[in-house]
Every structure is written in structure tokens, then in C-alpha cells.
């Protein structure tokens, strides 16, 4: 065939025009209609219309497509970090190539390193300094490696320091910072490995760690009073309450696991519930989100989206446009304004989850 016959042809989308899995979401702190999501296959997308229309803003910059974490600087919303490679490690999970940074609200991006972390579960930015960032790195899903744990940068990603590490088979998938005192951070370490035929989850490397000096030193609070002390721990989700100093939640995978709460920064804990609906298929979920203005309100994402208004004792389901819920961002200034990620895409709500934007306007569906 004469190659000239194909020169005028262009690729085009023929469908289906619907969203795929989203585990990373974020909202602009002051522009009500501006939100971002990272697709498990498809890069970073942006809306300025509250979810009515989305456009890709990472094509041409990213070398891998799976986004595991997104964070926008509250002090400078032009600064965005994307951690690549999701930590919901299905047997067909896609890896990433480190951390990308944008300083112009997503118009352009630059890779800032950490390529061998492969799967990043969370990114936390200091509330007053967009160059001061923490990254939760799970590491290789399919084998041991040293590039696991919690990383810190104080120069916007020009250099990184690994500040928390347990073993070469356990990485970090979740971190939570106290916005009233950003030196206090909790990190969830997870010992896990994917195999073609099975998933290994849990071991001595799993646990909850705390720092009170911004990551210089860490204390293992895994077996503190009230937490499971006689069983192997697996995946753990942690959340520090922005609304009440000292309050922390932990959702723990173990034989005696469940949802736990501390009101003294993790020194002592109480078990609130062992409801299995909150921790089905823990390797796929296990995320807790604290309401920024109400200390007794929290969200847990799983097959369903769950919300508690009594401090975690009881939960009700919040209908979402699609099952398998993975990511949530709550506006720290208005808890009714949220964006949620699920296996069908990302959806925006301005009324606390009573109504949602469409997920049929995002061409990020996956075939596997």
C-alpha cells in the first residue's frame, strides 16, 4: 500500500464515552467549578464547569497513564502534584513512573523523579508551602524493592529524602497530615505483593506510624492500646480529623480488624465497629476521609460509599453513580462541595452527595 494513502487519516474515539476507574481526585480551593481527577488509565483531567465538561491536561507530558494520587496546594493552587501508579493492585494493575509537578494549573508538567516507586497511593502538601511535600510509595506490586515508604521534598521535588521505611516488601499507601499542625503525620504501611494467581496481603511490615516533627523521626503506634495485638495486619487506611485536635481514625484489615478511633493522636484507641461492609476486598479499598468541619463526620469508600455522622459508630450508604468507590476530596471551606472517584469515573457534588455530576462525559473506560 502506498503510505501516502494513510497520511490524511487521524485517530478518533468511537466509544464507549464513559469513565473508567478513578482513585485520585482533587478540587481547587477557591474556584468552585474547578476539579481534577486522575484515571487508572488516561492521565489527569480537568473541569472548570463542575463536572459538566472534562478535558485531558497531561497528554504529551506523562510517560505512563495510571494516576494513583493527586494534590493541589492550598496556598498556591497553580501547583499540582500527580503520583503515578495506583495502589488498588488488581492483577491487571498499571505501574507509574514517579511524581509529576505542574506550576501552571495543569497546562504543563514535569517529572520530578521517584520513577522506581512504581505505585503511589497518596501525596500530601504542606498547607503553607507548595514545595514541602510527602509521598506515600507502595513500591513494586510484583516483587521486592527498596524504593518504598514515605518520601519528603522541601524544594518542590528537585530532591527527595526517604523518611520512613520498614522492609523491601512493605510500602506506604496512605498518609494523613494534621492541617492545624502539619508536623503531625500518620502513615499506613502495607506489606503486599501481587502474583499472577494470588495476592499476598499482610505481615510484619504492615502498621501505623506517626511523626510529630514533620518526618524527621517516626514512632510505630501499631500495637498501641486498643488496636489489634494478636493478629497479622494487612492494608490500613488512616485519617486525621481537621476539625478536632488529636482525633485519628484507622480502618484495619486483620482477623480482629475494623474501624478504630483515637482522641490523643494515636496513643490510645477504641474499636468502633467491625462491620465487614466497610472493609470488603481490602486490597482494593481501605480509605477513610474525615470531614474538615465536623469532627463526628467521616466517609469510608468501598463497594458502596459510606458516611457516619456519629464519630464512626454507625454508617449510612450514600448513592454514587457507580459502584467500587476509591477516592474523595472534601472542600475544607465547604463540606458540601466534593469530588468522588469510582470505577465509573469521577463525579462532582455541591450538596454533600445528594446529587452528582455525570460520569458519561469522560472517555477513560478500560478494557480488561
Amino acid at each position: 500500500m502506498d503510505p501516502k494513502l494513510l497520511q490524511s487519516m487521524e485517530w478518533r474515539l468511537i466509544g464507549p464515552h464513559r469513565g473508567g476507574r478513578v482513585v485520585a481526585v482533587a478540587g481547587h480551593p477557591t474556584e468552585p467549578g474547578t476539579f481534577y481527577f486522575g484515571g487508572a488509565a488516561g492521565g489527569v483531567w480537568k473541569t472548570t464547569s463542575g463536572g459538566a465538561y472534562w478535558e485531558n491536561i497531561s497528554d504529551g507530558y506523562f510517560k505512563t497513564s495510571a494516576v494513583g494520587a493527586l494534590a493541589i496546594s492550598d496556598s498556591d493552587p497553580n501547583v499540582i502534584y500527580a503520583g503515578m501508579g495506583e495502589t488498588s493492585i488488581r492483577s491487571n494493575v498499571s505501574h507509574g513512573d514517579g511524581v509529576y509537578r505542574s506550576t501552571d494549573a495543569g497546562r504543563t508538567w514535569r517529572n520530578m523523579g521517584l520513577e522506581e516507586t512504581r505505585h503511589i497511593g497518596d501525596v500530601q502538601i504542606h498547607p503553607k508551602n507548595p514545595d514541602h511535600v510527602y509521598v506515600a510509595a507502595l513500591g513494586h506490586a510484583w516483587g521486592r524493592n527498596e524504593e518504598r515508604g514515605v518520601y519528603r521534598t522541601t524544594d518542590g521535588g528537585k530532591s527527595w529524602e526517604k523518611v520512613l521505611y520498614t522492609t523491601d516488601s512493605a510500602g506506604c499507601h496512605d498518609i494523613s497530615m494534621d492541617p492545624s499542625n502539619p508536623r503531625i503525620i500518620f502513615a499506613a504501611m502495607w506489606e503486599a505483593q501481587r502474583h499472577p494467581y494470588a495476592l499476598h496481603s499482610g505481615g510484619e511490615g504492615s502498621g501505623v506510624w506517626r511523626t510529630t516533627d514533620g518526618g524527621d523521626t517516626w514512632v510505630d503506634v501499631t500495637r498501641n492500646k486498643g488496636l489489634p495485638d494478636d493478629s497479622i495486619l494487612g492494608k490500613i487506611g488512616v485519617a486525621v480529623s481537621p476539625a478536632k485536635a488529636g482525633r485519628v481514625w484507622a480502618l484495619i484489615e486483620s482477623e480482629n480488624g475494623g474501624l478504630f478511633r483515637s482522641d490523643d493522636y494515636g496513643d490510645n484507641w477504641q474499636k468502633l465497629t467491625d462491620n465487614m461492609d466497610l472493609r470488603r476486598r481490602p486490597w482494593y479499598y481501605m480509605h477513610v476521609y474525615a470531614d474538615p468541619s465536623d469532627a463526628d463526620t467521616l466517609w469510608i469508600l468501598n463497594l458502596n460509599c459510606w458516611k457516619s455522622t456519629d464519630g464512626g459508630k454507625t454508617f449510612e450508604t450514600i448513592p454514587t453513580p457507580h459502584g467500587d468507590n476509591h477516592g474523595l476530596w472534601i472542600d475544607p471551606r465547604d463540606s458540601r462541595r466534593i469530588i468522588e472517584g469510582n470505577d465509573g469515573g469521577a463525579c462532582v457534588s455541591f450538596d454533600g452527595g445528594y446529587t452528582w455530576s455525570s460520569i458519561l462525559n469522560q472517555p477513560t473506560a478500560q478494557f480488561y
Side-chain angles (χ1 to χ4, degrees), residues 150 164 172 174-176 185-189 207-210 218 238:
V150 177
L164 178 62
C172 184
D174 199 13
I175 50 179
S176 186
I185 304 169
F186 283 77
M189 302 296 288
V208 181
W209 293 73
R210 177 189 66 200
W218 294 80
V238 293

Side-chain angles (χ1 to χ4, degrees), residues 335-355:
S335 296
R336 298 170 299 175
R337 177 176 171 256
I338 58 181
I339 177 172
E340 198 260 355
N342 51 64
D343 269 17
C347 46
V348 171
S349 177
F350 292 98
D351 54 17
Y354 288 101
T355 60

Side-chain angles (χ1 to χ4, degrees), residues 17-226:
H17 202 98
R18 54 150 290 172
R21 184 166 65 257
V22 169
V23 301
V25 291
H28 194 287
T30 57
E31 295 180 7
T34 300
F35 299 87
Y36 301 80
F37 78 79
V44 176
W45 295 70
K46 180 179 181 178
T47 180
T48 57
S49 57
Y53 174 76
W54 295 89
E55 63 176 328
N56 182 281
I57 58 173
S58 61
D59 281 0
Y61 295 98
F62 286 14
K63 294 182 180 179
T64 55
S65 63
V67 183
L70 272 178
I72 301 175
S73 170
D74 191 75
S75 59
D76 183 357
N78 288 308
V79 178
I80 309 170
Y81 291 86
M84 305 303 291
E86 59 175 325
T87 56
S88 302
I89 50 175
R90 300 174 60 98
S91 58
N92 55 1
V93 66
S94 295
H95 71 272
D97 62 331
V99 175
Y100 286 86
R101 182 179 190 242
S102 174
T103 57
D104 52 15
R107 295 179 183 86
T108 62
W109 298 83
R110 180 183 176 188
N111 187 290
M112 306 308 296
L114 299 183
E115 289 87 351
E116 287 303 311
T117 58
R118 302 279 284 193
H119 299 275
I120 292 175
D122 202 357
V123 175
Q124 294 280 316
I125 306 174
H126 191 286
K128 302 297 183 183
N129 185 351
D131 291 334
H132 193 155
V133 182
Y134 299 84
V135 169
L138 183 63
H140 287 214
W142 297 89
R144 297 173 180 267
N145 76 312
E146 294 289 333
E147 290 79 11
R148 301 176 181 269
V150 177
Y151 287 83
R152 178 181 64 189
T153 180
T154 56
D155 55 16
K158 296 177 183 177
S159 62
W160 295 93
E161 178 185 7
K162 184 161 61 175
V163 293
L164 178 62
Y165 171 85
T166 55
T167 73
D168 63 359
S169 60
C172 184
H173 88 97
D174 199 13
I175 50 179
S176 186
M177 177 188 293
D178 185 347
S180 65
N181 184 356
R183 293 170 296 184
I184 299 176
I185 304 169
F186 283 77
M189 302 296 288
W190 181 30
E191 182 175 318
Q193 182 176 334
R194 252 294 166 195
H195 302 276
Y197 51 86
L199 172 74
H200 164 78
S201 177
E204 294 182 358
S206 295
V208 181
W209 293 73
R210 177 189 66 200
T211 179
T212 57
D213 54 17
D216 291 337
T217 60
W218 294 80
V219 176
D220 185 356
V221 300
T222 306
R223 303 298 183 180
N224 280 13
K225 185 178 179 180

